[in-house]
Amino acid sequence: MAERVGIEVSVAIGDAARLANVDVIAAYPITPQTHIVEHLAELVANGELDAAYIPVESEHSAMSACLGSAAAGARTFTATAGQGLELMHEVLYVASSMRFPVVMTVANRALSSPLSVWGDHSDVMAVRDTGWIQIFTENGQEVVDHVFCAFRIAEDNKVLLPVMIHLDGFHLSHVIEPITFPEQSKVDKFLPPNSYPLPLHPDRPVTMGDFAPPIIYPEAKWAQEVNLRASKETILKCWQEFADIFGHRYSPVESYHGEKAKTLLLTMGSFSETAMTAIDKMRGKGKDVGLVRLRLWRPFPFEEFRRAVAGAETLIVVDRALSFGGPGGPVCSEVKAALYGEAKKPKVVSFVAGIGGRDISPSDFETIVNKGIKISEKGSPNEFEIFGVRE
Amino acid sequence: MAKRKPKSEGEMTWKDLEIGAIVTEPGNASWYKTGDWRSQRPTYDFKKCIKCALCQIFCPEGCILQNDDGYFEADMYYCKGCGICARECPTGVVTMVEEEE
């Protein structure tokens, strides 16, 4: 029987990795990811998880060790946050370019300076172009579910790409939630053993990460791009099968009363749940407003996104990161680019909110919506604004 | 002496690449022609050669081998024309000359 327990989300992630039967964990602790890898270290030390736990000296080394592990065909897991993700940066490209199915949970955290251990999406946006499949989660159950889905997607021989699961630091990582764990037998059935096709083996020598002169580099990169785009098909199939077996349904873009709404709010991550409360309140007052939640960040779900916002007049995007000197929040820029070629499209308004762990309450979302509608009608001298900044 | 690969890099499309551009044929670095980097090439006056093999030892490319008469000669598929053999030869066998098209 599936088991429903009250548990800290970070600990639950460790348990999910155990159920996913990971072979290797290479990680370096960093707030707010610490409890995830702490719990995994404990599971390995107690003999509850038959895996190699590699304590490394930095995140750069963590991801490098993950490369080696994945190259040998082992099921490989790691986790990080904020500065740690930045220190991994160059190795992230190598993981996706060499097509290694590593799975990583990122407890999203703001970047220094000033030093902040609290949550936002600065770390996510800085690794946007690293070629990983990237998925946002809204609550603990979603993170646990996505650990299973992520391995299934990553290791699918049609995909063979690393997957990042984003969960908001503290707002998700450190809260205790009721979480349903599936039975081991069901996980095993859903998640067959890793079958990486070209593992390092003395009988079949290969060269990984070889040298590519200009005559072949663009071909290698295009192959990677085609592959990442095509992964969406496998992602959709995986989520469908997951829903059939476990009953939890996931889509690249998820709508909450958004189908016919005149005004749409767009969020990602755990703040989507707060936004839903705000939407309920506003709709209760007769306001024609809905919510669009972006789950799949890479590959960007262009079709699903355009469909989700097609009927709206105003689309208010709430980013949790800055693109300094740029056109607005990073997600908003992408949204605008995705809509540029459309004949009929909503007016897009850009807000940045909740950076460095600043809370956004349901009533804050109400204020954002009201302000956004006004800006879409009358225009604004600014490309975007940081919500709630004291003048 | 150099092995040629079935399809040169210039003929390969993105679909011809293995996943992650992994190379599955061991030892295929020998296909890589470095001879066309050369702007000078070595010429030989074997009458002066004492077969000491110093040129072979110093060659950074490892492309100097003994010919049928036992003299040391560079494989022009790989020789980058660095001139180290000419500099190290104690008897002045090797002279570098401009590579002409």
Side-chain angles (χ1 to χ4, degrees):
Chain A
M1 272 289 285
E3 200 189 354
R4 192 159 190 257
V5 289
I7 189 170
E8 187 188 309
V9 171
S10 287
V11 178
I13 293 168
D15 285 336
R18 177 178 55 78
L19 282 166
N21 202 10
V22 297
D23 298 312
V24 175
I25 303 128
Y28 191 81
I30 182 169
T31 306
Q33 153 266 35
T34 316
H35 294 178
I36 303 172
V37 294
E38 218 169 61
H39 185 55
L40 277 163
E42 213 169 63
L43 290 172
V44 174
N46 291 347
E48 294 170 72
L49 169 62
D50 181 18
Y53 187 97
I54 311 175
V56 285
E57 70 275 32
S58 76
E59 285 83 0
H60 191 280
S61 304
M63 188 44 62
S64 300
C66 285
L67 297 188
S69 155
R75 180 164 290 164
T76 308
F77 182 79
T78 187
T80 192
Q83 307 298 132
L85 189 62
E86 298 315 301
L87 186 52
M88 275 183 187
H89 197 94
E90 63 162 325
V91 198
L92 295 175
Y93 284 91
V94 183
S96 62
S97 304
M98 288 205 212
R99 308 268 306 272
F100 290 148
V102 177
V103 170
M104 170 160 68
T105 48
V106 182
N108 306 138
R109 166 180 161 173
L111 297 177
S112 290
S113 81
L115 192 145
S116 168
V117 294
W118 292 274
D120 73 23
H121 295 159
S122 308
D123 55 357
V124 187
M125 297 307 150
V127 301
R128 183 189 66 181
D129 298 335
T130 53
W132 284 54
I133 291 171
Q134 301 194 42
I135 295 161
F136 279 111
T137 56
E138 294 173 8
N139 58 49
Q141 185 68 54
E142 291 193 1
V143 194
V144 166
D145 290 353
H146 275 93
V147 169
F148 309 128
C149 290
F151 277 115
R152 169 76 182 261
I153 294 162
E155 292 171 3
D156 188 306
N157 276 4
K158 271 199 211 152
V159 177
L160 294 173
L161 282 171
V163 179
M164 247 180 245
I165 304 168
H166 295 297
L167 64 140
D168 285 317
F170 292 110
H171 282 99
L172 269 193
S173 63
H174 282 58
V175 294
I176 292 171
E177 289 190 18
I179 287 172
T180 306
F181 288 97
E183 296 146 72
Q184 184 69 62
S185 60
K186 276 193 178 174
V187 176
D188 291 345
K189 213 173 145 210
F190 177 73
L191 191 56
N194 186 8
S195 60
Y196 180 70
L198 293 167
L200 293 175
H201 194 280
D203 291 346
R204 199 166 60 146
V206 293
T207 304
M208 291 169 168
D210 50 322
F211 169 80
I215 201 162
I216 200 72
Y217 187 86
E219 280 70 22
K221 290 292 118 176
W222 181 242
Q224 191 181 344
E225 169 70 11
V226 168
N227 174 251
L228 178 57
R229 280 177 188 270
S231 71
K232 200 176 87 183
E233 197 190 314
T234 308
I235 295 168
L236 294 178
K237 243 177 77 188
C238 168
W239 282 346
Q240 179 61 49
E241 205 178 308
F242 190 86
D244 293 344
I245 299 171
F246 301 99
H248 303 155
R249 197 166 294 281
Y250 298 107
S251 307
V253 178
E254 290 171 16
S255 182
Y256 186 72
H257 297 301
E259 293 79 9
K260 287 176 189 153
K262 207 169 115 184
T263 304
L264 284 178
L265 193 61
L266 186 143
T267 53
M268 47 270 147
S270 65
F271 279 41
S272 299
E273 301 215 326
T274 318
M276 280 191 252
T277 308
I279 296 292
D280 285 341
K281 259 172 85 183
M282 284 185 277
R283 289 183 74 86
K285 291 182 202 161
K287 209 159 193 127
D288 190 6
V289 54
L291 176 69
V292 168
R293 295 124 67 203
L294 191 59
R295 175 172 306 286
L296 186 61
W297 175 228
R298 279 295 184 276
F300 191 86
F302 289 100
E303 276 168 61
E304 290 86 348
F305 167 73
R306 285 179 192 132
R307 225 181 298 134
V309 303
E313 284 175 23
T314 305
L315 175 63
I316 303 160
V317 183
V318 183
D319 265 281
R320 291 192 66 201
L322 282 159
S323 166
F324 296 106
V331 174
C332 189
S333 304
E334 298 242 335
V335 158
K336 284 180 181 167
L339 292 173
Y340 183 75
E342 301 298 290
K344 188 179 165 297
K345 52 183 170 267
K347 279 190 183 166
V348 181
V349 182
S350 175
F351 280 93
V352 172
I355 53 173
R358 177 82 62 95
D359 218 7
I360 318 176
S361 64
S363 63
D364 289 335
F365 273 118
E366 271 193 80
T367 312
I368 288 172
V369 168
N370 292 333
K371 239 180 158 177
I373 294 172
K374 219 174 273 169
I375 291 171
S376 101
E377 284 163 359
K378 297 192 179 139
S380 165
N382 302 317
E383 297 285 347
F384 74 100
E385 68 173 87
I386 299 186
F387 176 75
V389 165
R390 291 181 295 275
E391 292 289 342
Chain B
M1 172 180 87
K3 280 207 296 185
R4 310 293 161 128
K5 68 168 133 183
K7 222 176 193 182
S8 78
E9 281 147 338
E11 291 165 327
M12 282 175 95
T13 74
W14 64 272
K15 287 178 189 162
D16 293 323
L17 292 166
E18 249 323 330
I19 54 153
I22 289 171
V23 176
T24 50
E25 226 154 325
N28 72 358
S30 67
W31 294 342
Y32 193 50
K33 187 177 182 180
T34 48
D36 56 8
W37 299 14
R38 207 168 47 235
S39 59
Q40 290 190 322
R41 76 190 147 84
T43 57
Y44 303 95
D45 179 5
F46 289 131
K47 286 196 300 287
K48 296 182 187 164
C49 182
I50 56 169
K51 297 181 182 173
C52 66
L54 269 182
C55 58
Q56 187 183 43
I57 291 162
F58 277 100
C59 175
E61 198 58 30
C63 73
I64 296 177
L65 297 168
Q66 276 183 293
N67 64 21
D68 292 343
D69 300 324
Y71 295 117
F72 290 86
E73 216 176 324
D75 181 337
M76 301 311 272
Y77 188 81
Y78 301 116
C79 173
K80 295 171 180 167
C82 69
I84 289 175
C85 52
R87 171 143 181 150
E88 296 300 331
C89 178
T91 59
V93 173
V94 189
T95 309
M96 299 303 290
V97 301
E98 288 302 314
E99 190 68 77
E100 281 158 44
E101 284 303 318

